[in-house]
Amino acid sequence: MSDKKNIVEERKQLIEEVLEAYPEKAKKRRAKHLNVHEEGKSDCGVKSNIKSLPGVMTARGCAYAGSKGVVWGPIKDMIHISHGPVGCGYWSWSGRRNYYIGTTGVDTFGTMHFTSDFQERDIVFGGDKKLAKMIQEIDELFPLNRGVSVQSECPIGLIGDDIEAVAKKSSKEIGKPVIPVRCEGFRGVSQSLGHHIANDAIRDWVFPKADQAAKDNTLGYEPGPYDVAIIGDYNIGGDAWSSRILLEEIGLRVVAQWSGDGTINEMMLTPKVKMNLIHCYRSMNYISRHMEEAYGIPWMEYNFFGPTKIAESLRAIAAKFDEKIQENAEKVIAKYEPTSKAILEKYGARLKGKTVALMVGGLRPRHVVPAFKDLGMELVSTGYEFAHSDDYKRTTNYIENGTIVYDDVTGYEFEQFVKALKPDIIGAGIKEKYVFQKMCLRLIMVIVARKDCGESRIRTS
């Protein structure tokens, strides 16, 4: 017990030492976002979803990034217009590895960039007419597109472009959905609000069309007892495909993927499924809750990182269905157990006792922790870019006593923690990786649980 108390006190002291570099006001504000997890506590004790401190390096994205880059952008058969200056659109252009099936420029458009390219004249006189003309031209140039989304950038909210009116008029003219998304980057404190806004746009502009199509019996879909949707998986590196393989092997039918390798038609089918399986809680819990309230569809969070959590999640999912699915789940777990065991035996001896520090967005600061534990590795610190308090509460189920937890950690803080804790591996995203590459530390850019063969693969740079 004394050792556990000692490690907590030592790491609290480390936080105090790191904070000493700040002026008093900044120190007081940043202290609320840093803490050490203590065993038995159900709260990480950090403040979250608060505006970043001006003058520090933050890895957060904006509301536009949350909507265009995360939720809407991976919908492959739609064209997503970055409405505003070219800069924001340029930096969101194919920045993530959202894999998809299709022919780019013909029936899929995920890695293409469309912008209204605002100039000074547009700021003064407005961009409504330009946007309407652009939608018409896009539909002529890319006739196989299944719809358009308008992702508004900061100037749109400032000058008051009526993108909703343009969307309604253009939708009638081209005969396809045109979805306006009020995701101006200055809204909210991070990209998290962009997720919420994007979810609300689906609720308000897509589901009414789905409801009407269901009444008219034009969905072209016959619901089944084992229909599920994968929600909040963006198929980064093919994750959703691997998840889908396992779910279908236990006997479920994956009707929709949101939004990696997804389509607008899959969105419209989702209100008919029997269960929503949510991967990234922070980005899609809003729409999952809405579907539960409006359509009575239950939802649950799952974790397919590492063999332990894969087996646990498969059993939890199967428990929501009948004995047939439950029996299939046990068969699938048994099928891949020898492969997983062989991998763990091969790498476990080399990795046992090695330490890991994490700082990424979304769900990975907690979801990948059990995968490291499967390999015998220990987590020393973790944190999120844009999490809310419920994310941190969920994190306490994954981390051990003495783990440093940080919210929206600054570049300085993260560097100092790494220097003091000396982790063997750092799990980071594309924005926070460079300082550690220069320090010649091993950096994990992507952790992929090979769910299709039970193998855990780690890509390093």
Side-chain angles (χ1 to χ4, degrees), residues 22 29 54 77 137 162-163 169 211 218 260 275 287 335 340 411 445:
Y22 290 125
R29 288 182 63 181
D77 61 349
E137 290 180 352
D162 192 348
I163 60 173
K169 186 172 184 292
D211 295 341
T218 58
M275 174 169 282
I287 199 66
K335 173 184 173 182
S340 299
M445 291 307 300

Side-chain angles (χ1 to χ4, degrees), residues 52-74:
S52 299
L53 187 65
V56 303
M57 293 296 290
T58 176
R60 279 176 167 174
C62 63
Y64 163 81
S67 176
K68 200 273 184 182
V70 179
V71 178
W72 278 101

Side-chain angles (χ1 to χ4, degrees), residues 90-313:
Y90 174 79
W91 288 113
S92 68
W93 177 20
S94 191
R96 309 170 88 219
R97 294 176 300 104
N98 303 108
Y99 290 0
Y100 59 83
I101 296 170
T103 304
T104 299
V106 178
D107 59 354
T108 55
F109 311 95
T111 53
M112 299 181 71
H113 174 48
F114 300 85
T115 177
S116 52
D117 189 23
F118 258 46
Q119 305 297 313
E120 289 183 10
R121 177 183 177 85
D122 302 308
I123 298 294
V124 175
F125 296 104
D128 288 350
K129 291 181 180 179
K130 189 175 189 178
L131 176 62
K133 184 179 179 181
M134 184 180 180
I135 293 170
Q136 288 282 358
E137 290 180 352
I138 281 174
D139 198 54
E140 292 173 10
L141 291 169
F142 305 96
L144 296 185
N145 81 81
R146 299 298 298 274
V148 176
S149 79
V150 180
Q151 307 290 321
S152 55
E153 299 173 18
C154 287
I156 307 309
L158 297 173
I159 66 175
D161 269 10
D162 192 348
I163 60 173
E164 290 82 7
V166 174
K168 290 176 182 177
K169 186 172 184 292
S170 298
S171 180
K172 291 178 181 178
E173 290 173 350
I174 68 174
K176 297 172 184 176
V178 179
I179 316 297
V181 191
R182 285 282 180 185
C183 56
E184 294 88 359
F186 59 76
R187 301 184 65 179
V189 303
S190 71
Q191 70 188 67
S192 176
L193 183 60
H195 304 152
H196 199 160
I197 292 167
N199 282 210
D200 289 350
I202 295 167
R203 178 197 66 198
D204 297 337
W205 292 80
V206 177
F207 282 176
K209 295 181 183 295
D211 295 341
Q212 187 59 49
K215 288 180 182 178
D216 298 340
N217 199 28
T218 58
L219 276 178
Y221 160 63
E222 192 65 40
Y226 302 126
D227 291 353
V228 298
I230 296 175
I231 305 287
D233 194 316
Y234 304 99
N235 209 33
I236 301 173
D239 289 20
W241 292 337
S242 296
S243 297
R244 185 175 189 134
I245 288 170
L246 279 184
L247 294 171
E248 290 177 345
E249 278 196 342
I250 69 171
L252 301 178
R253 182 169 70 159
V254 179
V255 171
Q257 290 178 192
W258 287 32
S259 52
D261 197 33
T263 65
I264 189 168
N265 189 56
E266 289 179 41
M267 280 186 170
M268 294 176 67
L269 296 180
T270 305
K272 294 293 183 181
V273 302
K274 294 297 183 289
M275 174 169 282
N276 286 320
L277 303 175
I278 186 167
H279 189 217
C280 181
Y281 172 85
R282 177 45 46 211
S283 64
M284 287 287 194
N285 74 86
Y286 316 101
I287 199 66
S288 296
R289 293 177 190 277
H290 168 71
M291 282 189 274
E292 184 174 42
E293 294 171 4
Y295 303 104
I297 302 172
W299 60 277
M300 64 177 290
E301 185 180 13
Y302 71 96
N303 181 351
F304 274 1
F305 285 102
T308 297
K309 281 298 176 181
I310 290 174
E312 184 180 301
S313 293

Side-chain angles (χ1 to χ4, degrees), residues 30-48:
R30 281 304 304 163
K32 298 176 183 178
H33 299 269
L34 309 172
N35 204 0
V36 180
H37 176 59
E38 297 181 56
E39 194 173 58
K41 291 191 175 182
S42 59
D43 192 339
C44 291
V46 298
K47 295 291 184 180
S48 59

